Structures are given as C-alpha cells and as structure tokens.
Amino acid sequence: MSDTPVRDAPAQSRASAKKELPEHFRDYKHVWVFIEQERGEVHPVSWELLGAGRKLADKLGVELAGVVLGGPGEATQHAVSEAFRYGADLAYLVEDPILADYRNEPYSKALTQLVNTHKPEILLLGATTLGRDLAGSVATTLLTGLTADCTELAVDADGSLAATRPTFGGSLLCTIYTLNYRPQMATVRPRQMPMPARQEDRTGRIVSFKAELDEESIVTKILRFIPDRDSAKSNLAFADVVVAGGLGLQSAENFQLVKGLASVLGAEFGGSRPLVQKGWIGSDRQIGQTGKTIRPKLYIAAGISGAIQHRVGVEGADMIVAINTDKNAPIFDFAHVGIVTDAIRLLPALTEAFRRRLSPHGRDRLAG
Ligand SMILES: Cc1cc2nc3c(=O)[nH]c(=O)nc-3n(C[C@H](O)[C@H](O)[C@H](O)COP(=O)(O)OP(=O)(O)OC[C@H]3O[C@@H](n4cnc5c(N)ncnc54)[C@H](O)[C@@H]3O)c2cc1C
C-alpha cells in the first residue's frame, strides 16, 4: 500500500470478464462521495473520500460531487460548504425533516432516488457504522456491486473503478470490479486515505433534490437520542502520536508500560488483536485490519510482530518505530526505525527519558 492509495491500476487482468456496459448505464457519469453527518458533525472520513474522489474524477475527466442528506437547517448547509472546501465541484443536497437523524429506510430511499435521477458512475461511502449500513442497502436496492473496506481505489485504463481490499484473512489483496452495473460502489475505512488540504475560498454548485419520503411508511421511529458516553473515549484513529503493545509484552501488567509512555508523550495507546482477545485492552483500542486504521505522525510499536493484518492498519503512519527482540520480525520490513531489544526493559527507560525532556509545552509540540 502506498502513501497515495489512489493510483493507476494495471489494465491487463480481466479482459475476458468484461462485457459491453448495457446501454441504460452508459449515461452514468461523475464521482460522488456521501458526506456523513450526524447532529451537525461531519465524519472526517467524508473529507478523506473527497480527496480520493478528486483523483478519480480528475483521471476520468468528470466532476466530483458531495452528497449531503439531512434535516433542513444550518448544520446541513455547513456540511455542503465544507464539502466544497475539501474538493467537491458540486453538492447534491437532500433536505427533509425525516432525514434529521439517520435511519436506514429514509436514507436508503433518498439516496437511491438521487442515484436513479442523477446517475453517478462511482459512489463512495465511509466504512463507518452508518456508512456500512447505508451502502449495503443502497447497493442491494440498486442491484449493483459494492466493494467494502477498500484500501486502494484506482481507475483502470478503460475507466472502470478498481477497488482493492484485503482478502483471505488479510493475507492477500484483491482488486474487485463492478463491470456491468452502475454505480460502482465502494466503502473505505476512516484514516485509510490521506486528508486533503482544506481550501477556505473554494465553493461550488448546489443541486437541491426533493426526495419522496413518507414518515407513515417508515417503521423505525426515533423516540429519544441518548449519546454513547464511551464512544468518544478513544481518539486512536485521529491521534498524532500512538504507542502500542503486542503479545511480546507478556502480561497485562507489562502493558501498563505502554500506557505510561503514551501518557508522557500525550499520545493515544493501542495494541494488536491478541491483546483484545486476552482482555488486556478494549476492542476500541485494537489496531489493524479488523480494528482501527491509524495515520499518526509517530507510531511506536512494542512487542508487535507486524503481521499483515496489523501492518495494513499502520502503514499510513509518517514514522514507525518498532521495538522487538527478534531482528527478523516482519515489523522491521516496514518500520522506519527498528530497535532490537527487550521492550519490557526499554519502555520504562524511554518513558523516563521523555518525562525529563518534555515539558507540558514540549508535549504539545510533539502532538501538534
Ligand atoms: C481475519 C484476521 C484479522 C486480524 N486482524 C488483526 C488486527 O486488526 N490487528 C492485529 O494486530 N492483528 C490482527 N490479526 C492477528 C494477526 O494475524 C497476528 O496474529 C497478530 O497481529 C499478532 O499479534 P502480536 O504481534 O502482538 O503477537 P505475536 O505475533 O505473537 O508477536 C509478538 C512479538 O513480540 C516479540 N517479543 C517477544 N518478547 C519481546 C520483548 N520482551 N520485547 C520486545 N519484543 C518481544 C516477538 O519477537 C514477536 O515478534 C488478525 C488475524 C486474522 C486471521
């Protein structure tokens, strides 16, 4: 996986599978990104996808659109303005009080109607809880293909979307095409793609769309909104500095050394999957293919072997420092700095050294 996950795909592989695109799909054009917003908060994966979508749209020579669904009001309008700043040329805006809070049925209906009317060739969504729920039902309703949890997106020589994702438990990558249906749909996990630059003065066209929605026919009702107090606890995916531990730490007590270093660095802590299975850390702290994808400026991995399922979650880090007793550990194949030593001895020394050197002000600088 490269730093720029949107790339030119090899065109040779699937000539035999390709049929002529049916006539009624030929006018499907442009790249769309679903802008996920809840209660006025846009999920940052939407901006990451606009960055990826921009490259696809430029390659295809088409426009990039943000799709904003929500209740009428300032928050929804703000999401539209932000979509322009992160690269959208236009925004499809579907405002309706029924869309104020996410529910699968009205969102699926509205998005499906929008697709059938304005016909995008590519539709991207974040692989979040909401995005996964919505993408699956929209793809099923439209009878088109959906590639979930992509790690790379590319445009083939003939203009098809090449959507790459891990397979066989993460040991292989496969590239999936939706050759004969439209739109070509894909979801991408947060932090998989780099965040594009925000351009303050950028603006674009708004296309308003009135979806045919009827509250009476929707079986799911919002009775009350109770925020999940735990959901904001771990900021792992968006942290600038992450310290993580693996089975090499040998015990839950030794894992506290990871937390100690993280605390001194003002960092988030995490770990490999076996640590979740052992109950040393919560599942929201797992890093990797079936956990969080991270893109910190600094990632310190202590006692982690660097299995492919862990690697895919950390490769976007600017600087990976690995501490491992085995000089042949796979993590040294992709770490920028490798330290061959006992992490249980090194971590307290590192923590102490950083504690002495970093004032609280210096800590801010490290994370900033
Ligand atoms: C479908 C699937 C999904 C998966 N998803 C994930 C995922 O999301 N995230 C994930 O992490 N894994 C995932 N895994 C598991 C993955 O394959 C590995 O088993 C796991 O990452 C290994 O964890 P580890 O590196 O902590 O342990 P190990 O592989 O056991 O490595 C421990 C390392 O510590 C080193 N070590 C030992 N003692 C010390 C010491 N004192 N100091 C320093 N180093 C020491 C050893 O040399 C070794 O390299 C998944 C597996 C499957 C099949």
Side-chain angles (χ1 to χ4, degrees):
M1 194 171 44
S2 71
D3 199 32
T4 46
V6 177
R7 59 170 171 80
D8 289 344
Q12 76 283 9
S13 47
R14 58 195 171 77
S16 60
K18 178 109 193 190
K19 296 184 213 140
E20 190 92 334
L21 191 65
E23 183 69 37
H24 61 286
F25 285 136
R26 294 211 188 131
D27 50 349
Y28 278 63
K29 279 218 163 31
H30 307 300
V31 177
W32 287 12
V33 170
F34 175 72
I35 307 298
E36 178 177 331
Q37 57 125 358
E38 278 191 293
R39 304 199 153 237
E41 295 253 334
V42 177
H43 197 296
V45 72
S46 310
W47 312 142
E48 294 164 8
L49 286 177
L50 280 177
R54 180 78 267 161
K55 293 178 187 163
L56 299 176
D58 289 349
K59 183 96 204 283
L60 288 164
V62 298
E63 286 188 307
L64 173 66
V67 177
V68 179
L69 275 58
E74 227 173 85
T76 309
Q77 301 284 346
H78 182 68
V80 169
S81 313
E82 285 296 287
F84 295 140
R85 293 187 181 114
Y86 282 103
D89 301 310
L90 74 156
Y92 290 100
L93 172 62
V94 191
E95 283 183 299
D96 193 304
I98 296 175
L99 299 171
D101 282 301
Y102 177 75
R103 285 177 289 169
N104 178 277
E105 298 152 277
Y107 266 67
S108 297
K109 272 192 188 151
L111 189 50
T112 306
Q113 290 171 16
L114 188 68
V115 166
N116 284 332
T117 308
H118 288 286
K119 303 184 176 17
E121 59 187 317
I122 293 173
L123 172 56
L124 308 176
L125 299 92
T128 58
T129 308
L130 189 161
R132 286 182 169 142
D133 185 58
L134 180 61
S137 53
V138 168
T140 310
T141 313
L142 293 169
L143 297 177
T144 189
L146 164 66
T147 309
D149 290 359
C150 297
T151 51
E152 290 185 31
L153 297 172
V155 170
D156 233 354
D158 64 3
S160 308
L161 176 70
T164 301
R165 54 153 296 144
T167 186
F168 286 107
S171 53
L172 290 175
L173 291 174
C174 64
T175 299
I176 297 175
Y177 296 88
T178 298
L179 292 176
N180 303 310
Y181 300 91
R182 289 294 179 270
Q184 304 158 92
M185 291 181 61
T187 64
V188 178
R189 294 184 349 152
R191 306 303 272 157
Q192 193 65 51
M193 305 287 173
M195 183 69 104
R198 184 174 178 280
Q199 300 164 62
E200 192 55 54
D201 301 331
R202 216 171 169 284
T203 181
R205 279 180 358 261
I206 299 178
V207 178
S208 293
F209 181 79
K210 178 87 191 97
E212 284 177 28
L213 301 172
D214 169 22
E215 184 61 59
E216 295 291 302
S217 66
I218 300 164
V219 292
T220 323
K221 304 291 175 198
I222 309 271
L223 303 180
R224 199 151 59 101
F225 181 79
I226 307 168
D228 177 1
R229 266 183 278 145
D230 286 344
S231 68
K233 254 195 199 161
S234 149
N235 188 33
L236 201 51
F238 295 92
D240 281 331
V241 185
V242 174
V243 185
L247 273 185
L249 293 175
Q250 296 162 19
S251 70
E253 290 70 42
N254 287 340
F255 187 80
Q256 300 308 313
L257 301 173
V258 165
K259 285 189 180 173
L261 179 57
S263 158
V264 164
L265 294 177
E268 287 283 345
F269 72 89
S272 60
R273 183 162 91 157
L275 272 53
V276 178
Q277 290 161 335
K278 283 181 173 289
W280 296 1
I281 55 172
S283 57
D284 63 330
R285 297 280 173 184
Q286 181 187 320
I287 297 167
Q289 185 197 326
T290 43
K292 297 255 163 60
T293 301
I294 60 172
R295 298 186 81 87
K297 291 179 181 156
L298 173 63
Y299 177 53
I300 301 176
I304 293 178
S305 59
I308 181 68
Q309 296 89 354
H310 190 83
R311 178 175 180 162
V312 294
V314 303
E315 274 188 324
D318 291 343
M319 164 75 71
I320 300 174
V321 178
I323 309 165
N324 199 302
T325 43
D326 176 6
K327 68 175 172 29
N328 296 314
I331 198 159
F332 291 135
D333 294 342
F334 57 94
H336 304 97
V337 176
I339 306 173
V340 182
T341 192
D342 180 354
I344 300 163
R345 289 181 51 216
L346 182 65
L347 284 173
L350 270 182
T351 306
E352 195 40 43
F354 278 119
R355 196 192 310 280
R356 267 189 271 119
R357 279 177 180 249
L358 289 177
S359 64
H361 173 66
R363 214 174 296 163
D364 289 346
R365 259 197 335 228
L366 189 68

